[in-house]
Amino acid sequence: MNRVKYSMVVIGGGPAGLAAALEARELGCQDVLIVERDWELGGILQQCIHNGFGLHLLGEELTGGEYAQHFIDQLAQTDIEVMTDTMVIHLAPGLITAVNPQQGLLEIEAGAIVLAMGCRERTRGAISIPGTRPAGVMTAGTAQRLLNMEGLMPGKRIVILGSGDIGLIMARRLTLEGAKVEAVAELMPWSSGLTRNIVQCLDDFDIPLLLSHTVVAVHGSQRLEGVTLARVDDNFKPIAGSERHIPCDTLLLSVGLIPENELSQQAGVELDSTTGGPLVDQHLQTTVPGIFACGNVVHVHDLVDNVSLEAQRAAAGAVRWLKSEIARQKTIPVQAGEGVGYVVPQRISLPQPDEITLLFRVKRPMVGATAVVTDGEKQVASKKLPFARPAEMAELVLEKGSLEGCGEQLEVSVVERSDSR
Amino acid sequence: MFDVIIIGAGVIGSAIAWRLARHDLNVAVVERDDDVASATSKANSGIIHAGYDPEPGTLKAGLNVRGNKLYPDLCRELGVDYLACGSMVIAHEGQEEKLEKLLLRGRQNGVEDMAIISRDKLLDMEPNVAAEATSALYAPSAAVVSPYQLTVALAENAALNGVEFMFNTPVEDVLVEEGRVTGVRCGENIFAAPIVINAAGVHADRLAQLAGAERYDITPRKGEYLLLDKAMEGFVRQVLFPVPRGSSKGVLVVPTVEGNILAGPTAWDTEDREDVATTPQGLEEIRREAPWLVSGISWGKVIGSFAGLRAVADNDDFIIRASARVNGWIDVGGIQSPGLASAPAIAERVEHLVGGLTELNPRQDHVTQRKSPRVSQLDRMKRQQLIEKDSAFGRIVCRCEDVSEGEVLAALAGALPVCSLDALKRRTRAGTGRCQGGFCVPRLVAIISREKGIPPHQVTKKGPGSPVVSGWLDKGWKQ
């Protein structure tokens, strides 16, 4: 078997992997390898031909492909090595086993490993939609790949379940290509997509968004013939009598993304049951020393710009780890408190040498809220959140030195001011 | 003109074809769907029952125990995964007597090595068993196979030995002249044969009626299942049954050969012979009943659900007989549980019935081995050698199940024609994993399109009328 060795190996050549590899090289790491399972770099951005990428990080509105190309062009100027068409089939601390058609099986020794495998879509099976199993039921991302990369129309008459961003984007995309999007149904009383996508992808095309609705049956034995939608109650149970049949040949699912951590678990990386991603500290180091993680494999981001930034922090952490510069005298957990779904990083390694970016999501839409970081009774930091929505990740920076003399645990909570609403 | 026509390419039709293929006979299988194992044979528990369940003296009892004994060699011969896991019938407080009854019945049926085990032993063998479990009937000879992998292997071996399979060919009429069957009509085509074997699953009674053979009635009984992620591997180690209540075996928790966990089935009689839709009630029933057997089952790990129909005959036994009314007509009906376990023994019995109607001479060039490499099962050295020989085995097209393009190409070039995603899935497992085809479907559509020389919108999920995509984009893109 072929055996090779690198100081740093990045698994995944999407936005997280690209940014991590570039940053590591920039920070002086001599030999960096990216392992990518697809034929080309760019990951999911390859199929995102809509614009809206890069506004925060690059100051311009790019398509997904253009955003990826920005990093791929930079990569071409470096000596970073890339293996495409290469699938990692096993991961252990410091050792990656991969396979590709040219070399066959490869054992790759790595000083530091950066996990950047992204996420996968939740499927029909995972949410157990009852009914038959015809052709024409697929995830929104699969439809997006078929349409934007293979030039194929998934169907002509569409219902979309779930108002995640990919589903919203696909509603517009399919409409532009001549399909009729009958409705977007969303189980929750609010959309899980960005506001701008609801306006630009649904409202502008008169596509109805049916909140508190779900698909209760799939019909058709060969190709999909229709779905039954129903309104749900406060416990998300379908309300009897609210059913209606919608004829369609395609049901797209945009019902959530799951960080892809089967490899991480092989290496013993501990996962957060809420995010589905590794538990990380502010360096994005997982519970296994020398294994770092960034992007959607850690938690599902709504903006790729944030993925790139997180990847840079992970790369910086990995480079420092390689130089034995990361001290881990003590680790304290960061808990999600009132109104908060999750916080990343989930732990902070002390002593704290630099400022720390905390990323978190609120549990429900809030107006005029304040995010507070507390250490027991003591308030460590706070930030106003005028419009907080679960779909939009919030950020709070702990200044350098702000955790001096800090106790056993931090908590992030978000509360609405009593005078609002 | 054929010597024998078999109606139905489920596990029973395919096992009979496999068995008859060792004789110098011209055999054809006509199948309604686009592939083998497209109905009951793809949607069941996959259990090779030990044989303590059927009433002594029934066909079920004899054929189950015989079939169970034939399985290990059969699977070795055909390269089919066989998980010799054993089974447990779990009892709660006050139900221990029922285990004694099953033990006695099993011994009458000739099942070997059964034992009633105590709670301590049970906990030792099944750490996740429900807290209320007091004891269990352990049957080490029970096992698990993948019913569609088995059916594909049987049918491919039959095809290698000259059996002709005709798919998308539903039988519309049975031709009988002067009390002798002469063949079947499928649409415009007439296929002539002096012997016709009816292995049409839930439709068998209607075909028997068309032939004018002895009447029986089949009631389809729907069973729904939930399939859990391989991350649950080891959650149960044996097939777990509750003590029997009523006619069905109840909701089971089963380890699959691939490392998944299967929970189900429900048992709902239905009028509709095509009704394989899952229902909210059915899936809820599984979630409610499974904790009777095990504690801590993680429903968040469900990756799929499906339903199948069991063919329940009115006499509650298998119906395997050469018709006394219509010469040359053989019924193989009512093959519900333990049908899969009995399949090789049923095939032997049918072979015997055919032998009573025509002379059987051994085929000279009969091939028994069927080899298909699965890269995920090879050791690293062998895997590397395979990739060096053919680089397509180094390109992974299904990330969840570690399936290479080479395996897909081998399936497409196999002994049976494969054109649909589901047929490919049954042969390679591509698309059966946790992402349920999200990653591989675009790749597989491209590969099938390329290899078969058809446009992508002619690639189907499950045969005619089930295109995966509707066509090329209107603007640009066109090749």
Side-chain angles (χ1 to χ4, degrees):
Chain A
M1 195 174 354
N2 302 288
R3 202 174 171 105
V4 288
K5 194 172 175 177
Y6 293 84
S7 299
M8 189 181 301
V9 180
V10 179
I11 304 177
L18 288 168
L22 282 167
E23 182 73 2
R25 189 69 193 88
E26 180 75 25
L27 294 173
C29 187
Q30 295 296 325
D31 50 328
V32 182
L33 170 71
I34 299 177
V35 183
E36 166 57 44
R37 66 187 181 195
D38 213 335
W39 301 296
E40 288 181 86
L41 292 170
I44 212 72
L45 291 176
Q46 295 178 86
Q47 65 190 52
C48 299
I49 65 171
H50 54 284
N51 61 352
F53 298 86
L55 207 51
H56 301 261
L57 190 67
L58 305 177
E60 51 181 334
E61 220 179 325
L62 304 174
T63 65
E66 287 169 333
Y67 185 90
Q69 197 61 44
H70 172 88
F71 290 86
I72 295 168
D73 287 345
Q74 283 187 28
L75 198 81
Q77 306 301 312
T78 70
D79 55 5
I80 294 171
E81 287 185 46
V82 177
M83 286 182 191
T84 52
D85 210 2
T86 305
M87 182 74 81
V88 174
I89 56 172
H90 193 261
L91 182 67
L95 186 66
I96 294 157
T97 310
V99 63
N100 69 30
Q102 289 73 38
Q103 292 142 298
L105 289 166
L106 288 160
E107 280 193 338
I108 308 168
E109 275 183 69
I113 292 170
V114 178
L115 307 175
M117 293 91 76
C119 56
R120 65 168 177 270
E121 295 176 280
R122 187 167 277 126
T123 64
R124 174 185 176 183
I127 56 171
S128 296
I129 303 173
T132 54
R133 299 201 297 156
V137 180
M138 64 182 92
T139 58
T142 301
Q144 193 177 42
R145 183 171 179 114
L146 287 168
L147 214 165
N148 292 344
M149 290 178 71
E150 318 282 339
L152 294 167
M153 272 302 269
K156 293 172 181 154
R157 204 167 169 186
I158 323 275
V159 169
I160 300 176
L161 176 63
S163 62
D165 287 311
I166 313 170
L168 300 177
I169 296 285
M170 285 308 290
R172 174 176 66 183
R173 184 81 187 94
L174 285 159
T175 305
L176 290 174
E177 290 297 342
K180 172 89 175 103
V181 179
E182 299 289 345
V184 175
E186 167 62 56
L187 183 72
M188 305 296 284
W190 58 78
S191 166
S192 55
L194 296 171
T195 309
R196 72 173 193 213
N197 283 334
I198 293 169
V199 174
Q200 294 172 7
C201 299
L202 299 189
D203 298 354
D204 287 1
F205 295 90
D206 294 326
I207 298 168
L209 172 61
L210 306 173
L211 297 174
S212 298
H213 275 73
T214 193
V215 174
V216 292
V218 167
H219 308 284
S221 69
Q222 296 299 102
R223 177 82 193 193
L224 181 67
E225 288 164 14
V227 297
T228 304
L229 292 180
R231 187 182 291 280
V232 297
D233 63 20
D234 293 345
N235 299 313
F236 310 115
K237 294 281 176 213
I239 299 170
S242 71
E243 298 88 358
R244 65 171 133 159
H245 184 260
I246 301 189
C248 58
D249 63 13
T250 306
L251 172 65
L252 295 191
L253 303 175
S254 180
V255 292
L257 300 168
I258 305 164
E260 187 123 69
N261 279 292
E262 282 69 30
L263 286 173
S264 324
Q265 285 176 292
Q266 285 175 4
V269 168
E270 227 179 287
L271 303 186
D272 177 336
S273 61
T274 308
T275 58
L279 292 169
V280 291
D281 68 5
Q282 74 269 33
H283 308 292
L284 282 306
Q285 182 160 221
T286 67
T287 54
V288 176
I291 298 185
F292 295 74
C294 54
N296 284 354
V297 81
V298 179
H299 57 133
V300 177
H301 294 62
D302 37 84
L303 294 176
V304 71
D305 310 63
N306 288 331
V307 168
S308 303
L309 290 169
E310 188 173 88
Q312 289 169 354
R313 293 196 293 275
V319 169
R320 288 168 68 179
W321 186 82
L322 284 171
K323 295 184 193 160
S324 307
E325 283 178 12
I326 292 186
R328 227 184 198 179
Q329 292 170 6
K330 181 180 170 188
T331 301
I332 58 166
V334 186
Q335 305 278 9
E338 194 190 331
V340 175
Y342 72 80
V343 187
V344 170
Q346 296 90 343
R347 47 184 64 190
I348 288 173
S349 295
L350 295 176
Q352 168 209 9
D354 299 308
E355 64 172 39
I356 293 174
T357 305
L358 298 178
L359 300 173
F360 57 95
R361 285 183 194 277
V362 292
K363 278 186 175 162
R364 56 187 172 81
M366 287 188 252
V367 179
T370 306
V372 183
V373 184
T374 50
D375 167 14
E377 297 294 296
K378 188 175 117 198
Q379 182 171 318
V380 180
S382 73
K383 183 183 181 179
K384 288 204 161 55
L385 302 174
F387 301 98
R389 297 180 61 235
E392 288 166 33
M393 195 153 67
E395 179 186 307
L396 193 155
V397 176
L398 297 179
E399 298 302 331
K400 191 170 176 172
S402 61
L403 297 181
E404 261 167 49
C406 128
E408 292 306 309
Q409 146 178 346
L410 296 179
E411 188 171 282
V412 180
S413 40
V414 175
V415 283
E416 270 174 298
R417 281 202 309 266
S418 51
D419 58 349
S420 70
R421 283 220 291 211
Chain B
M1 179 82 183
F2 297 100
D3 297 317
V4 180
I5 286 173
I6 300 166
I7 305 172
V11 67
I12 299 303
S14 299
I16 294 168
W18 162 77
R19 194 73 209 174
L20 292 183
R22 61 193 65 202
H23 303 291
D24 197 11
L25 291 172
N26 196 1
V27 180
V29 180
V30 287
E31 165 59 43
R32 178 185 83 148
D33 289 311
D34 85 311
D35 190 23
V36 301
S38 290
T40 302
S41 302
K42 74 169 179 197
N44 59 72
S45 314
I47 300 168
I48 309 306
H49 294 277
Y52 49 75
D53 210 55
E55 286 294 338
T58 57
L59 274 179
K60 282 182 178 176
L63 295 171
N64 180 352
V65 175
R66 167 82 184 144
N68 178 288
K69 291 202 169 76
L70 292 173
Y71 258 99
D73 283 345
L74 168 72
C75 290
R76 210 169 301 125
E77 185 183 307
L78 295 177
V80 170
D81 298 322
Y82 175 85
L83 183 65
C85 54
S87 71
M88 300 262 198
V89 183
I90 307 285
H92 287 192
E93 185 82 48
Q95 296 177 323
E96 294 78 2
E97 213 174 290
K98 292 188 177 174
L99 298 185
E100 296 284 352
K101 237 172 93 181
L102 283 179
L103 177 67
L104 190 67
R105 205 194 288 168
R107 286 186 177 147
Q108 279 176 284
N109 289 346
V111 182
E112 290 162 10
D113 302 328
M114 289 187 303
I116 291 180
I117 57 170
S118 67
R119 178 171 168 78
D120 286 351
K121 180 94 202 264
L122 173 57
L123 267 179
D124 201 40
M125 294 174 75
E126 287 292 349
N128 295 312
V129 76
E132 298 86 354
T134 53
S135 56
L137 173 66
Y138 175 50
S141 61
V144 162
V145 298
S146 156
Y148 46 87
Q149 187 197 27
L150 170 74
T151 307
V152 168
L154 289 165
E156 284 193 343
N157 185 269
L160 278 176
N161 286 297
V163 174
E164 187 173 336
F165 281 79
M166 290 177 265
F167 295 108
N168 303 308
T169 308
V171 171
E172 285 161 23
D173 203 2
V174 179
L175 309 176
V176 179
E177 283 171 29
E178 294 169 6
R180 295 193 60 89
V181 70
T182 58
V184 295
R185 185 175 64 76
C186 307
E188 304 283 287
N189 297 312
I190 299 221
F191 301 108
I195 299 172
V196 175
I197 300 169
N198 174 16
V202 292
H203 300 280
D205 56 341
R206 297 206 293 210
L207 284 164
Q209 221 174 333
L210 276 180
E214 292 83 348
R215 192 191 160 95
Y216 56 95
D217 283 308
I218 298 236
T219 306
R221 183 173 295 158
K222 193 196 279 192
E224 300 183 35
Y225 293 88
L226 289 169
L227 181 70
L228 286 89
D229 196 299
K230 283 179 175 179
M232 296 283 288
E233 182 162 17
F235 180 74
V236 297
R237 298 167 187 172
Q238 276 93 184
V239 177
L240 302 189
F241 299 90
V243 289
R245 288 169 289 181
S247 59
S248 90
K249 296 189 178 77
V251 167
L252 329 174
V253 181
V254 184
T256 73
V257 289
E258 304 289 345
N260 302 85
I261 299 289
L262 192 61
T266 56
W268 297 58
D269 286 356
T270 160
E271 297 286 296
D272 184 350
R273 294 167 194 246
E274 308 294 339
D275 177 12
V276 287
T278 54
T279 61
Q281 298 79 11
L283 300 179
E284 184 53 41
E285 183 182 329
I286 300 167
R287 292 194 179 91
R288 191 176 63 238
E289 294 293 325
W292 199 94
L293 292 170
V294 287
S295 61
I297 195 161
S298 170
W299 299 117
K301 294 272 186 241
V302 168
I303 63 168
S305 53
F306 58 89
L309 297 176
R310 318 171 182 70
V312 183
D314 45 8
N315 68 347
D316 215 28
D317 198 2
F318 298 154
I319 294 165
I320 304 171
R321 64 188 171 213
S323 173
R325 282 195 209 164
V326 183
N327 203 297
W329 178 263
I330 297 175
D331 270 305
V332 191
I335 312 297
Q336 58 152 331
S337 177
L340 179 69
S342 308
I346 291 173
E348 276 183 349
R349 194 175 179 90
V350 173
E351 178 188 35
H352 183 74
L353 292 176
V354 171
L357 295 169
T358 188
E359 200 179 326
L360 298 179
N361 297 306
R363 185 185 197 90
Q364 294 309 318
D365 54 352
H366 185 260
V367 196
T368 53
Q369 293 292 318
R370 169 186 169 272
K371 281 272 172 258
S372 66
R374 289 262 295 276
V375 297
S376 63
Q377 290 178 341
L378 296 176
D379 66 40
R380 288 187 172 182
M381 182 113 76
K382 290 219 177 83
R383 187 165 176 169
Q384 179 68 18
Q385 285 165 353
L386 187 63
I387 298 168
E388 280 168 12
K389 220 161 64 185
D390 182 352
S391 65
F393 287 96
R395 178 173 294 119
I396 301 300
V397 292
C398 168
R399 63 180 179 197
C400 304
E401 298 293 318
D402 199 10
V403 180
S404 67
E405 185 174 357
E407 290 157 87
V408 171
L409 296 176
L412 290 174
L416 295 171
V418 180
C419 280
S420 68
L421 290 184
D422 281 1
L424 206 49
K425 180 157 96 174
R426 287 192 274 275
R427 283 157 183 75
T428 65
R429 294 195 55 75
T432 58
R434 54 178 67 94
C435 90
Q436 293 282 292
F439 181 81
C440 67
V441 162
R443 287 161 174 80
L444 296 178
V445 167
I447 293 172
I448 296 174
S449 163
R450 185 186 76 208
E451 295 298 315
K452 299 278 171 184
I454 54 173
H457 49 270
Q458 283 177 19
V459 176
T460 66
K461 179 174 191 291
K462 42 163 75 166
S466 66
V468 180
V469 295
S470 63
W472 294 110
L473 285 191
D474 283 343
K475 294 163 237 163
W477 290 95
K478 274 186 192 152
Q479 296 200 330

